[in-house]
Amino acid sequence: MWYPSRNDASGTGGFVGGPVLAARLAGSGPAGPGRARPSKDAAVTWPVASLLGRLSESARPALLELGTAVTFRRGKQILRQGASGTHAYLLLAGCVKVTGNDGGREPLLAVRVGGDLVGEMAVLSGKTRSATVSTCAVTAVRVIPGAELRTFFLSYPDAALELACMISERLRWANERRVAFAALDARMRLIRALVAVAETYGRDTAEGRDLGVSLTQEEIASLAGVRLPTAEKILRALQSAGAVQLGYRKIVVTDLASLHAVDNH
């Protein structure tokens, strides 16, 4: 497994990121086993590996009270690589894509959903943004000034430890991804990306396991470090083998067990 966090998909069900607005944005399907942690309000659950899912019952509501509530439309760039970082964004519902800049290309680095925190690295380090973050669905957030966020972590050292653990997992994933680029062929990298996204964000449907996040084949190729024509060829072969179903901005894994078997071979 080499995806950054074990979240469920927003916009498709699996968690409710707030009693009213997030429920409307994120849906209300059941979360998978061990995937969501309920708060004291039974109507609110957060993905276990997200920051909100990690926090204690005392720290979580305190974090949710910080900053200002804002809702962004789909396709809105909320953070820009190289810009100064004065605020962090606590995602309540929706979905964002984290992209880099490589000679005019914008490789997809990660996906974040409700419960995740983005922009914290620049806020805490005082350096510029290391990546660009854009919404890929209607997204509800708390925009938190850096001073408020720092004060929160000083007041809740257990939350600061959970943040450190979350960042550590993201760094571990980045290291595993670099190793995969060097050690695995294109087919294996793409299969590993599909398995990771399906398990991290996916939801079960009548057809199989929907990835749960609206990603194009080009974005899946970018995430796996594979050229688009190669990715298209591999995906068509997987579809012919009955392992996936392809649609417009949609991939359903119809035989997750077989992809697991290839990944673990």
Side-chain angles (χ1 to χ4, degrees):
M1 180 61 58
W2 54 288
Y3 214 69
S5 62
R6 297 178 182 173
N7 300 327
D8 209 324
S10 63
T12 57
F15 74 90
V16 181
V20 180
L21 174 61
R24 187 167 65 249
L25 293 175
S28 57
R35 301 280 290 282
R37 175 180 298 169
S39 70
K40 290 180 179 178
D41 181 348
V44 184
T45 58
W46 302 102
V48 168
S50 69
L51 182 60
L52 285 175
R54 296 168 181 268
L55 295 185
S56 66
E57 294 295 343
S58 59
R60 188 184 303 113
L63 181 59
L64 286 166
E65 290 176 359
L66 300 183
T68 304
V70 178
T71 300
F72 294 107
R73 68 180 186 278
R74 177 176 180 168
K76 174 69 174 179
Q77 184 183 102
I78 61 175
L79 299 178
R80 181 174 57 83
Q81 183 176 342
S84 60
T86 58
H87 294 72
Y89 294 74
L90 181 64
L91 307 183
L92 303 181
C95 174
V96 300
K97 298 174 185 176
V98 183
T99 58
N101 191 322
D102 180 18
R105 295 176 59 251
E106 294 187 346
L108 178 63
L109 304 178
V111 177
R112 303 281 184 248
V113 296
D116 281 331
L117 183 68
V118 298
E120 79 286 347
M121 289 177 60
V123 165
L124 297 176
S125 68
K127 297 183 178 180
T128 58
R129 304 288 190 193
S130 61
T132 294
V133 175
S134 304
T135 60
C136 50
V138 176
T139 301
V141 307
R142 301 288 300 186
V143 182
I144 305 175
E148 284 189 35
L149 189 65
R150 288 189 290 270
T151 299
F152 167 79
F153 285 122
L154 289 172
S155 301
Y156 293 90
D158 58 326
L161 179 60
E162 294 295 350
L163 175 68
C165 290
M166 183 185 74
I167 293 175
S168 176
E169 288 184 4
R170 291 178 180 178
L171 291 174
R172 178 187 295 275
W173 169 77
N175 289 338
E176 291 177 354
R177 190 183 187 202
R178 283 192 289 270
V179 171
F181 287 164
L184 301 178
D185 61 20
R187 179 173 178 269
M188 286 299 303
R189 294 202 303 273
L190 189 71
I191 287 174
R192 184 166 289 192
L194 287 173
V195 169
V197 175
E199 291 193 332
T200 302
Y201 300 101
R203 64 187 180 95
D204 292 327
T205 68
E207 294 80 19
R209 191 159 184 84
D210 189 293
L211 291 191
V213 180
S214 179
L215 296 176
T216 65
Q217 293 185 27
E218 183 175 10
E219 288 167 337
I220 285 289
S222 177
L223 194 62
V226 176
R227 291 184 180 276
L228 178 58
T230 302
E232 290 174 335
K233 181 179 179 180
I234 295 169
L235 288 169
R236 285 196 300 268
L238 291 174
Q239 180 170 242
S240 296
V244 303
Q245 286 184 8
L246 305 178
Y248 176 68
R249 298 187 68 92
K250 180 180 180 180
I251 299 176
V252 177
V253 177
T254 52
D255 191 349
L256 188 57
S258 69
L259 294 185
H260 260 303
V262 173
D263 185 29
N264 294 328
H265 181 68

